[in-house]
Amino acid sequence: MARFPRPTTPRLLYNVFSPSKTTPSHSSSPSPTTALLLGNFHLQLRQFSAGGNLARAKEGKEPWWKDSMERLRNIGISAHIDSGKTTLTERILYYTGRIHEIHEVRGRDGVGAKMDSMDLEREKGITIQSAATYCTWNGYQINIIDTPGHVDFTIEVERALRVLDGAILVLCSVGGVQSQSITVDRQMRRYEVPRLAFINKLDRMGADPWKVLSQARSKLRHHCAAVQVPIGLEDDFHGLVDLVQMKAYYFHGSSGEKVVTAEMPADMEAFVAEKRRELIETVSDVDDELADAFLNDEPILSNDLEEAIRRATIARKFIPVFMGSAFKNKGVQPLLNGVLSYLPCPTEVSNYALDQMKDEEKVMLAGNPDGPLVALAFKLEEGRFGQLTYLRIYEGVIRKGDFIINVNTGKKIKVPRLVRMHSDEMEDIQEGHAGQIVAVFGVDCASGDTFTDGSVKYTMTSMNVPEPVMSLAVQPVSKDSGGQFSKALNRFQKEDPTFRVGLDAESGQTIISGMGELHLDIYVERIRREYKVDATVGKPRVNFRETVTNRAEFDYLHKKQSGGQGQYGRVCGYIEPLPPGSPTKFEFENLLVGQAIPSNFIPAIEKGFKEAANSGSLIGHPVENLRVVLTDGASHAVDSSELAFKLAAIYAFRQCYAAARPVILEPVMLVELKVPTEFQGSVAGDINKRKGVIVGNDQEGDDSVITAHVPLNNMFGYSTSLRSMTQGKGEFTMEYKEHLPVSQDVQMQLVNTYKASKGAE
Ligand code: GDP
């Protein structure tokens, strides 16, 4: 499995779902006959067959870390809000001994759920922050990376998904596959995360796991099958039959902590046989080894089936479906066993880094603890003891006291303290190795930074951060919340390099900029929700730019004589476009010979041109790809000053700008649409109307996948129009591609609007 380095641009994704038909549910009354009490319930963990480790082990060359690597899982739990993710996480922490009692999720007992480390989350009972916590189960270490419960497309969420090797998708057996489930699942697919599904809340009235399973097939396009069958449903739900081991499990004790294994209820045999056959058939579709046995009518042994499920799940060709009720303490331990049996260990997932010495060339990382250190800071938290930074180690070892290099800033840092996190509690450790997730204290960095031991210059994410394409004025309603407001903005900037904060020089308003309408909406919502600051927002504006297309000469004398010291400065030269592909956006060159202008005034001249280029005279947007060359000038022994030359430069730029034939550039987005083929014509027609250029059109089953380049300025409110054009069945993603010149008529329109607004001031 190859994973690509994630784009630095958050891709904005919008979707809607279509309803599907339901299938009848199954319910049965069991009577456990031979109940066997197992203190340490164990689903017979088999040896690993996947990955290169076993091969090495067979050759007798086992590396020192082989065992701990195979016994490591980094997983996320992803779900639609309210489907029970927090409750499930709580139960996992309880059964794995990380917490000693079960708290009410909604926090009525004043303690709240463990994973919700922020007070606000406790109060609301939903998980906003991503945090990492670890626990052990049957000798395996499981790191649970808590992906945010709300779905957005900020870089922060993308990073949390990136460090996962596998995930559990929680679905509600009553609500089924809802639009948000589709979105979280799509994210995981995009990040190539192998996953298990857990159909929760089987105890609730109206629970129908088979309907949910068929929705997973139709709406999520999962190639999936149940690996368990519930014994009873709703009020009567009290156990599960495991289709791999062909055993029944019941959950006794006040918190379901005693798992009792029994023969399956006799009246369920026919149904279980049917479901087991369905499981084998579905896995056989994607696993040749199992298909051979199945087609030859050979008996399928539990171990063979389990291995086939593991191979297919890790290859992301199959999703095993588990069932239970987190709230009623049923089905959580078998799910944990499923995590060990079916989800990959870190070396079974490949990742690559970007070599900064070789123009961001991709380098495969073997996940080897003996290799040079490569670790990604994927999450920052402000804690009681300062900044806590979560690191995923991809290669090598990190030890307390080590010197490590932040590749993004070039800074060398000593690791003062290394800990393993359990929500808001921690445990000091001496070292961590590839595959593990650790946290460090007192290391100043931004999230997304990569650390190495200095022997390589790799980064896990691209260092080329795109310029924001859209801006929005935002202001706190009450003056008292100014402090919280700036705190929020500071934090978001640290977490997300594509999110910027600036001041509008004219209006004095705070301007936030980002990669699109949705990206900015998310931050406004987070200011409100996480920092409790109500803010007024202006209309979103596209970040146009200006550039010149011709060379134009300037010769400007700035002279003022009004009492006191006068001002005198003359600058001559030309401006021209930078050659295509130039690494900088502004270049200043001094070709003066002799002392026409004393050299101490040159920086002021450069500053003047830079300042002037901040606001082009077409529509007041920054001018890019500009080269300014100074060839001559004049000065006065008494009246010349830095100010005089700076002003001369500003006026000189304005003087020659029009002659350089300026044009307006607009952000053009790469838009990918997926619509049922019947709507393809109207959707494509609409893209043309929006001045988009269609560059690809493929068929995927019953859907058409259209790729187009469309000016961002024509994409406002697109999700609403796509929904109405496709009866809610279309979806699209959008990401920034490049800035391109607008057409003549658009340029005229924009210039006229700008002039009118200037006139009105
Ligand atoms: P999250 O938003 O996905 O984290 O969901 P929560 O864990 O906060 O659960 C949402 C609500 O569903 C809470 O009131 C839980 O008590 C309830 N809940 C969670 N799991 C179950 C379950 O298995 N059965 C029932 N009946 N309720 C559940």
Side-chain angles (χ1 to χ4, degrees), residues 468-544:
V469 292
M470 196 173 266
S471 304
L472 196 64
V474 50
Q475 234 170 339
V477 173
S478 141
K479 282 219 165 65
D480 299 341
S481 41
Q484 280 296 89
F485 181 67
S486 358
K487 214 165 138 189
L489 296 183
N490 279 339
R491 172 162 149 226
F492 299 155
Q493 280 189 98
K494 234 180 173 183
E495 287 174 352
D496 181 347
T498 60
F499 177 77
R500 313 265 173 89
V501 180
L503 264 191
D504 186 318
E506 283 171 27
S507 65
Q509 281 175 314
T510 304
I511 307 287
I512 58 171
S513 311
M515 300 316 296
E517 220 174 344
L518 180 63
H519 189 211
L520 294 178
D521 279 356
I522 286 159
Y523 283 115
V524 172
E525 177 61 19
R526 286 186 64 185
I527 292 171
R528 199 177 60 73
R529 193 156 54 169
E530 291 172 37
Y531 290 83
K532 297 213 169 96
V533 177
D534 261 334
T536 50
V537 290
K539 255 181 77 175
R541 283 192 337 185
V542 163
N543 291 357
F544 291 105

Side-chain angles (χ1 to χ4, degrees), residues 555-569:
D555 178 352
Y556 194 88
L557 171 64
H558 175 62
K559 195 171 144 188
K560 229 171 158 185
Q561 225 108 43
S562 49
Q565 196 198 341
Q567 288 182 13
Y568 188 97

Side-chain angles (χ1 to χ4, degrees), residues 79-88 104-106 108 116 124-127 170 198 200-204 324-329:
H80 181 285
I81 281 176
D82 258 5
S83 50
K85 178 172 111 173
T86 314
T87 311
L88 175 66
E104 261 250 40
V105 160
R106 290 294 163 199
R108 248 171 271 141
D116 291 340
K124 286 193 153 191
I126 59 164
T127 307
V170 184
F198 179 67
N200 189 29
K201 303 197 185 182
L202 287 196
D203 61 298
R204 270 187 59 187
S325 161
F327 185 63
K328 291 285 169 78
N329 309 315

Side-chain angles (χ1 to χ4, degrees), residues 356-367:
Q356 295 302 326
M357 301 297 280
K358 293 189 184 158
D359 202 14
E360 302 215 333
E361 197 179 280
K362 289 170 188 165
V363 197
M364 288 300 289
L365 298 177

